[in-house]
Amino acid sequence: MAEAVAIHQVDLERVSFKGTVDAVRQYSAAIDKARNRKMRGQLWEDLLLNLARDLVPLRPGRQEPRAVKRRPKPYPLLNQPRRKFVEISHRNRFWKGRPRNYKGFN
């Protein structure tokens, strides 16, 4: 990803990570089967060009709050749009005011 960004002058945040992983998986078999160094170089350049073209939309102000729809205990349910979600730090605790039952090392 970094090499594609450097060569084709695109923003690193706009390059799709999932698209990169998928493209590398597809191209790796072809690069392995390439007959000579010149073909490998051409395939590599083609891969970098495709990575630079596979951009995600620019979404200024997007937040990624620490919440999930089906939660492993300590996170609140995400039952409203992300842009309206207000993360409350004290609600991220699992115990919710109950005393913790620690089993000591004794």
Side-chain angles (χ1 to χ4, degrees):
M1 283 175 64
E3 191 172 342
V5 166
I7 292 173
H8 296 286
Q9 284 85 32
V10 293
D11 291 334
L12 181 61
E13 295 134 5
R14 303 264 330 264
V15 176
S16 170
F17 180 77
K18 180 161 181 358
T20 299
V21 171
D22 292 342
V24 168
R25 283 184 182 164
Q26 293 294 321
Y27 272 86
S28 64
I31 291 173
D32 285 342
K33 292 179 183 178
R35 294 182 186 153
N36 54 31
R37 191 176 276 189
K38 184 178 178 183
M39 282 183 73
R40 275 188 229 116
Q42 289 173 344
L43 286 169
W44 184 255
E45 289 174 13
D46 189 37
L47 170 64
L48 295 179
L49 179 63
N50 284 329
L51 294 181
R53 286 183 179 171
D54 188 20
L55 300 177
V56 294
L58 183 61
R59 296 182 267 177
R62 179 167 170 84
Q63 295 180 7
E64 294 292 338
R66 187 73 172 146
V68 290
K69 290 190 176 189
R70 296 288 171 241
R71 62 189 170 115
K73 298 292 182 191
Y75 302 110
L77 288 173
L78 185 61
N79 52 12
Q80 56 191 347
R82 291 179 195 276
R83 67 186 182 295
K84 293 181 181 178
F85 185 81
V86 177
E87 192 170 358
I88 301 172
S89 62
H90 71 274
R91 285 195 176 169
N92 285 343
R93 295 190 192 129
F94 174 72
W95 297 99
K96 295 187 180 184
R98 289 180 283 150
R100 296 182 183 202
N101 295 326
Y102 288 119
K103 294 186 178 179
F105 294 108
N106 313 27

